[in-house]
C-alpha cells in the first residue's frame, strides 16, 4: 500500500525540481558575461535541483514515509535558498546594478513566487497542515491565474514584434487572465460566504475553459518554436516549461472538480 503523503511528496518534487532546474538555466542565460559570481550560483542551483530530480525519480511510492519526510526537509532548504537567490537578483535588477542583463524583472519575481509555492507545499506536506479544500480552491486559483497571466505577458514580449497575430493573441490571453485573477480575488474577499458548492464549481469550470485554451496556445507556440517556424527570442525550453505549468494547473483543477462533484465533501480531505 502506498502512503498518500509519499505519493504527493514525490509528485510535487518531481514536477517542481525540474522547474527549479530550468529557472536556474534561464537566469544564467540572461546574465552578462562579467557576472561570473551570479553565473556560478545559478550553475550550482541547476546541479543541485538536477540531483534532487534524479533522486525523486529513484524513490518509489513504497518508500518509507520517514525517509521521504527527511528528503522533503532537504528539498525545502534548497527551495528556500533558490527563492532567496531569485529575490537577490530581482533587487539587483531593480536597482539597475546589472544594466544590459536579459531577464525581465517580472520574470524574476514570477520564478521566485514559484519557488515560494514549492517551499510552502513541502512545509504543508511535512507538517500535515493542509488547507481545507474550499480554501485551497480559491488560493490555488489566485496563485496560478497570476502565473498564467504573467506567462501570456512574457510570450507577448519575447515574440518578435513582426509576429503581429501571435503577439495580439498573447495580449488577449494576458487581459483574459488578468480579469479571471480579479474575479478570483473578489471571490476570495467574499470568504467564507462565497464558498458554496455552486459558486466554487462555476469558478473552477470557467477557469478550466480559459486555461485549456491558453494551454493549447502554448502548445502551438512550443511546436512552432521547436520547428523554427516563427521569429522570437523564446528559448525552446522556456516554451515547453510554460506549457507544462499550464498542464499542472489543469491537473489541479481536475482534482478540485472531482472533489466538488460530491464524492468527498469532507473539508479536511487531503487534496494535494
Ligand atoms: Fe516556471
Ligand atoms: Fe511560470
Amino acid at each position: 500500500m502506498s502512503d498518500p503523503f509519499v505519493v504527493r511528496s514525490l509528485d510535487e518534487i518531481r514536477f517542481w525540481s525540474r522547474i527549479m532546474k530550468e529557472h536556474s538555466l534561464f537566469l544564467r542565460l540572461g546574465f552578462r558575461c562579467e557576472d561570473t559570481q551570479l553565473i556560478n550560483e545559478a550553475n550550482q542551483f541547476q546541479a543541485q535541483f538536477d540531483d534532487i530530480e534524479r533522486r525523486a525519480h529513484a524513490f518509489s511510492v513504497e518508500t518509507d514515509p520517514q525517509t521521504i519526510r527527511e528528503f522533503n526537509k532537504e528539498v525545502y532548504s534548497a527551495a528556500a535558498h533558490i527563492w532567496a537567490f531569485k529575490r537577490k537578483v530581482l533587487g539587483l535588477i531593480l536597482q539597475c546594478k546589472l544594466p544590459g542583463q536579459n531577464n525581465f524583472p517580472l520574470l524574476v519575481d514570477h520564478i521566485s513566487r514559484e519557488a515560494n509555492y514549492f517551499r510552502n507545499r513541502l512545509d504543508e506536506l511535512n507538517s500535515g497542515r493542509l488547507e481545507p479544500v474550499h480554501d485551497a480552491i480559491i488560493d490555488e486559483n489566485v496563485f496560478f491565474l497570476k502565473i498564467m497571466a504573467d506567462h501570456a505577458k512574457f510570450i507577448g514580449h519575447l515574440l518578435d514584434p513582426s509576429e503581429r497575430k501571435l503577439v495580439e493573441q498573447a495580449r488577449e490571453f494576458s487581459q483574459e487572465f488578468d480579469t479571471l485573477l480579479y474575479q478570483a480575488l473578489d471571490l476570495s474577499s467574499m470568504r467564507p460566504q462565497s464558498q458554496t458548492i455552486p459558486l466554487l464549481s462555476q469558478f473552477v469550470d470557467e477557469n478550466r475553459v480559459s486555461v485549456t485554451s491558453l494551454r493549447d496556445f502554448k502548445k502551438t507556440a512550443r511546436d512552432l518554436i521547436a520547428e523554427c517556424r516563427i521569429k522570437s527570442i523564446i528559448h525552446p525550453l522556456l516554451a515547453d516549461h510554460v506549457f507544462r505549468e499550464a498542464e499542472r494547473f489543469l491537473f489541479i483543477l481536475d482534482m478540485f472538480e472531482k472533489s466538488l462533484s460530491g464524492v468527498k465533501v469532507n473539508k479536511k480531505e487531503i487534496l494535494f
Side-chain angles (χ1 to χ4, degrees), residues 34-42 85 88:
E34 63 264 41
D35 299 325
T36 50
Q37 179 58 34
L38 294 173
I39 290 169
N40 285 341
E41 281 185 81
F85 175 63
K88 177 178 81 174

Side-chain angles (χ1 to χ4, degrees), residues 19 23 110-111 114 241 245:
I19 294 290
H23 290 167
H110 174 103
I111 64 178
E114 291 177 351
H241 180 105
E245 289 178 357

Side-chain angles (χ1 to χ4, degrees), residues 90-141:
L90 178 63
L92 292 171
I93 296 171
L94 293 181
Q95 290 158 33
C96 299
K97 291 189 174 150
L98 301 174
Q101 68 81 38
N102 278 311
N103 288 307
F104 288 127
L106 185 65
L107 180 103
V108 181
D109 174 57
H110 174 103
I111 64 178
S112 85
R113 276 182 266 124
E114 291 177 351
N116 188 48
Y117 173 91
F118 182 29
R119 180 179 64 167
N120 286 343
R121 292 293 304 135
L122 292 165
D123 184 44
E124 284 174 1
L125 285 163
N126 260 18
S127 65
R129 282 186 287 99
L130 291 161
E131 268 191 317
V133 62
H134 290 193
D135 283 319
I137 289 177
I138 294 181
D139 293 337
E140 291 285 317
N141 276 280

Side-chain angles (χ1 to χ4, degrees), residues 134 137-138 187 194-204 260:
H134 290 193
I137 289 177
I138 294 181
L187 203 63
S194 59
Q195 288 164 307
T196 70
I197 303 259
L199 282 177
L200 290 176
S201 93
Q202 174 60 21
F203 175 62
V204 168
L260 285 171

